[in-house]
Amino acid sequence: MESKKIVSLTIDKHKVVVEKGTTILEAARSVGIDIPTLCHMKLDDMGIENKPAGCRICVVEVDGRRNLAPSCATDVAEGMIVRTNSMRVLNARRTVMELLLSDHPADCLICPKSGNCDLQSMAHRFDVREIRYQGEQSTYREDFSPSIIRDMDKCIMCRRCETMCNEVQTVGALSGINRGFNAVVSPAFEMDLKDSVCTYCGQCVAVCPTGALTEVNHTNEVIRALADPDKTVIVQTAPAVRAALGEEFGYEAGTLVTGQMVSALKELGFDYVFDTDFAADLTIMEEGTELLSRLEKHLKGDESVKLPILTSCCPAWVNFFEKQFPDLIDIPSTARSPQQMFGSIAKTYFADKLGIQREKLIVVSIMPCLAKKYERQRDEFKVKNDPDVNYVLSTRELANLVKRANVEFKSLPKKDFDRPMGDSSGAAVIFGATGGVIEAAVRTAYELYTGKELEKVDFKQLRGMEGFRQATIDFDGTPIHIGIAHGLGNARKLLECIQTGKCVYHAIEIMSCPGGCIGGGGQPLHHGKSSILKKRVEAIYREDAGKPIRKSHQNPYIIKLYEEFLGEPMSEKAHHLLHTNYFDRQVKFQEEVNE
């Protein structure tokens, strides 16, 4: 194997030895020298690095070079002498900062990112107290979609969102358009986000350093509902939330805060605190039965059966195939996501138990995902214009609400979810991690297919952080081929492999976000650190391992739900309440335009 070439240089009088091809920024960080940046972004384990050298905050002085060099985009060279803290450098950085701020709104007090804004932090670091440069400011219209708000007046053209959207997710919704003073990051032809190919995965929001991209916030609507004595307000919490929420309160990444989270929600005044994991078990009953039905017909030679079956829990992924792979629209499972199954059952089964009208029951979701805000308002999930899920808060928004209510999270006692929609199996918990949905399905499908008890429920061959992976599970002599992808860029590779016939599977799990839901666009910001994602995944599997029941079909409250209300999986009633349809979004968009 060819040895890597080593380069020696000096940075601020420190001798530094790094591999050839290393940037000055990386070399400086390797010896603890902090060079400020705004546009630079490096995503661990993805081979993705955003270094457009656009902001010029990271400039340094290099001996023999007349101009200052952007450290994020300048490779080291043998014998190079670099100064990161000369007066020339400090003056240049401050000037650049003042120029950025001269074309930026001064509404920090009411900005959604106030207190968590990289630009604001950098202004504080440089001790900028006045804007010396005055002139015309660029202005753009605000763009409101069901999940994401674009306020391009606050864009600093760092291009992080563009890198995430195009290189990681391969969605292609955002790109730099126009030139000079009118340059901005936007969908093609400056169309609204809702009319573009955007999937609402929220990964662009997660990397935006300012308030240019933020989530649609339902917090005030939730507060009004909680204050309304005429409403019964219930809440469901997704499995990935409990593995990340603690980070917002100073806990180490990967700390499970399930009990404290339940306690906090009760402190906020929710009438019932339930678990989306209950609906995840329900999803397995429907999706697993659908898989077995297709599989049995396929094995009997029925060529009309569509395989592989694709999991359908992730709304950003659903949006992705509806917009970019409409030829595969009849392959995914018709099962709704756990969020929507929960809302449907809550507004029927649970509302009947309470003896109230569905309109008086308010269902709130706490989700790691911004696409869930879009999903809850899809027309097929409404009854007489009343949505099954009324409002969605992200993990970050829940943390802010808890702080706003002056609830001391760390001192809260651990409490259990309410019943009947709060009990779940370990299989439901692992829905939050890549590979978790298909592993949960396999635990149930194996026993239903073979009629034999599954003694070892840990299918470690389905786990891992590889973006595109595959495994074969032995169903007592029948090999079941499974494909798994997380991140829409990897999903594209998998789907194209299927289209060409190179990949043949019985079932596929796809999650839009890196790592699965634990890396969702609404989670505490992890800044591309795979170590944080891995710790969250480990937390998910720890909770699974500690559950007394680890198979969805053994959840007694799910069994009771079918006995009392649904009948059996895939029954007519179950199909009406728990399944959905998909659409070619380009065709549907044209129909809406024509109307």
Side-chain angles (χ1 to χ4, degrees):
M1 190 171 71
E2 185 179 347
S3 61
K4 295 181 179 178
K5 189 172 181 180
I6 300 300
V7 174
S8 299
L9 69 156
T10 302
I11 305 178
D12 294 343
K13 299 181 181 179
H14 293 269
K15 294 295 182 181
V16 183
V17 179
V18 292
E19 294 178 2
K20 184 179 180 181
T22 303
T23 63
I24 294 175
L25 177 65
E26 293 172 318
R29 287 178 174 176
S30 72
V31 293
I33 297 173
D34 179 31
I35 298 176
T37 64
L38 276 175
C39 62
H40 179 262
M41 175 182 71
K42 187 172 184 179
L43 303 176
D44 293 352
D45 296 344
M46 293 185 193
I48 301 293
E49 188 169 9
N50 185 64
K51 47 181 182 180
C55 72
R56 268 355 197 221
I57 289 292
C58 72
V59 292
V60 295
E61 196 169 3
V62 179
D63 274 14
R65 179 166 173 164
R66 187 179 65 178
N67 297 327
L68 296 178
S71 62
C72 72
T74 305
D75 287 350
V76 297
E78 182 63 37
M80 180 182 276
I81 299 175
V82 179
R83 280 180 288 276
T84 74
N85 56 5
S86 70
M87 291 303 105
R88 183 187 178 196
V89 166
L90 297 183
N91 182 63
R93 289 178 186 165
R94 182 185 175 89
T95 300
V96 167
M97 191 68 211
E98 289 178 328
L99 287 168
L100 282 172
L101 293 173
S102 72
D103 189 28
H104 198 84
D107 61 353
C108 293
L109 286 176
I110 57 174
C111 178
K113 288 293 287 288
S114 182
N116 194 26
C117 170
D118 291 358
L119 186 68
Q120 189 180 58
S121 299
M122 200 68 71
H124 178 72
R125 175 173 176 171
F126 291 165
D127 196 31
V128 177
R129 294 292 176 261
E130 62 178 340
I131 308 299
R132 292 182 296 166
Y133 306 102
Q134 301 294 330
E136 183 181 357
Q137 287 194 344
S138 53
T139 58
Y140 308 91
R141 63 182 179 82
E142 282 190 279
D143 177 12
F144 294 87
S145 76
S147 294
I148 298 169
I149 300 172
R150 294 175 58 249
D151 184 356
M152 291 297 101
D153 287 359
K154 297 173 181 174
C155 177
I156 60 172
M157 288 297 285
C158 70
R159 316 291 281 269
R160 289 191 199 175
C161 60
E162 186 179 351
T163 296
M164 181 59 76
C165 186
N166 297 332
E167 294 188 39
V168 178
Q169 299 294 71
T170 69
V171 172
L174 297 172
S175 63
I177 64 171
N178 302 330
R179 302 185 68 177
F181 192 68
N182 296 316
V184 69
V185 176
S186 167
F189 310 111
E190 298 190 64
M191 69 173 68
D192 290 339
L193 210 57
K194 67 180 179 63
D195 298 329
S196 73
V197 292
C198 177
T199 67
Y200 305 122
C201 69
Q203 290 301 309
C204 59
V205 176
V207 298
C208 179
T210 67
L213 292 166
T214 56
E215 57 260 55
V216 172
N217 195 329
H218 295 144
T219 302
N220 290 332
E221 287 90 337
V222 171
I223 290 173
R224 282 193 286 270
L226 288 169
D228 188 343
D230 195 40
K231 296 290 194 297
T232 298
V233 187
I234 69 175
V235 63
Q236 59 168 319
T237 63
V241 175
R242 70 207 65 193
L245 178 63
E247 295 166 32
E248 293 283 339
F249 298 96
Y251 288 92
E252 183 183 349
T255 302
L256 284 166
V257 293
T258 312
Q260 294 98 321
M261 175 182 65
V262 173
S263 191
L265 291 166
K266 289 180 180 291
E267 286 285 324
L268 290 171
F270 287 97
D271 294 297
Y272 297 91
V273 180
F274 291 134
D275 197 353
T276 311
D277 290 9
F278 170 87
D281 281 333
L282 185 58
T283 300
I284 290 302
M285 296 304 295
E286 294 297 317
E287 198 166 76
T289 300
E290 187 180 4
L291 166 61
L292 288 178
S293 175
R294 291 199 206 179
L295 186 61
E296 288 172 354
K297 291 177 182 178
H298 171 74
L299 294 174
K300 290 177 181 178
D302 187 342
E303 295 182 359
S304 67
V305 175
K306 299 293 185 179
L307 285 177
I309 188 170
L310 279 68
T311 57
S312 53
C313 297
C314 172
W317 147 236
V318 169
N319 221 346
F320 186 64
F321 74 70
E322 284 186 327
K323 289 182 175 180
Q324 302 208 25
F325 291 88
D327 56 311
L328 302 179
I329 212 162
D330 55 349
I331 296 181
S333 166
T334 61
R336 298 184 184 185
S337 73
Q339 168 177 274
Q340 295 307 138
M341 284 197 183
F342 180 96
S344 181
I345 294 301
K347 294 265 179 130
T348 52
Y349 175 73
F350 188 64
D352 289 347
K353 281 186 173 294
L354 294 180
I356 63 174
Q357 298 175 338
R358 65 171 284 143
E359 293 81 6
K360 292 186 179 296
L361 182 67
I362 302 298
V363 177
V364 178
S365 297
I366 311 298
M367 293 285 146
C369 168
L370 301 191
K372 291 293 183 184
K373 295 173 182 278
Y374 152 79
E375 181 186 43
R376 65 106 199 167
Q377 56 86 65
R378 283 179 67 131
D379 290 338
E380 55 267 35
F381 301 137
K382 297 177 182 178
V383 175
K384 296 181 179 178
N385 210 37
D386 178 54
D388 291 336
V389 174
N390 296 87
Y391 306 112
V392 176
L393 300 183
S394 69
T395 308
R396 292 193 298 268
E397 288 166 342
L398 172 60
N400 289 334
L401 179 56
V402 171
K403 294 171 185 175
R404 183 171 166 183
N406 203 29
V407 174
E408 184 55 48
F409 190 86
K410 282 194 170 184
S411 65
L412 291 173
K414 295 180 180 180
K415 291 187 178 180
D416 294 328
F417 289 104
D418 294 317
R419 292 175 175 173
M421 299 170 69
D423 272 31
S424 60
S425 72
V429 177
I430 62 176
F431 264 57
T434 173
V437 174
I438 200 67
E439 180 175 347
V442 166
R443 292 181 187 181
T444 288
Y446 178 92
E447 292 197 356
L448 297 181
Y449 181 80
T450 66
K452 297 180 179 181
E453 182 179 358
L454 183 66
E455 295 181 1
K456 295 182 179 180
V457 300
D458 293 316
F459 289 89
K460 294 186 178 180
Q461 63 269 50
L462 298 174
R463 303 177 186 179
M465 294 294 283
E466 298 85 6
F468 174 8
R469 57 195 189 275
Q470 54 192 357
T472 299
I473 306 298
D474 181 11
F475 273 33
D476 195 29
T478 302
I480 304 298
H481 303 297
I482 295 171
I484 301 169
H486 62 105
L488 290 175
N490 292 313
R492 182 181 297 280
K493 294 175 186 176
L494 191 154
L495 294 177
E496 289 175 349
C497 192
I498 292 171
Q499 287 177 323
T500 60
K502 294 179 180 178
C503 296
V504 179
Y505 304 109
H506 295 102
I508 288 173
E509 178 204 284
I510 290 178
M511 294 188 182
S512 295
C513 296
C517 302
I518 52 93
Q523 291 279 68
L525 302 178
H526 57 83
H527 303 291
K529 293 181 180 178
S530 60
S531 59
I532 292 178
L533 297 183
K534 288 174 182 176
K535 287 179 180 178
R536 293 177 186 173
V537 169
E538 290 167 2
I540 290 281
Y541 285 109
R542 281 202 310 276
E543 181 149 322
D544 164 40
K547 286 275 192 176
I549 297 174
R550 300 184 64 192
K551 303 167 187 172
S552 295
H553 59 286
Q554 293 179 348
N555 182 339
Y557 288 93
I558 292 292
I559 295 171
K560 187 177 181 181
L561 175 64
Y562 278 103
E563 290 175 347
E564 291 183 353
F565 188 64
L566 293 172
E568 62 182 11
M570 296 291 287
S571 67
E572 184 177 347
K573 191 170 191 178
H575 198 273
H576 173 68
L577 293 174
L578 306 178
H579 291 255
T580 187
N581 299 308
Y582 306 116
F583 307 93
D584 182 332
R585 285 289 150 186
Q586 294 302 317
V587 172
K588 193 169 180 63
F589 173 66
Q590 192 58 51
E591 290 173 350
E592 291 171 353
V593 170
N594 292 337
E595 289 176 2

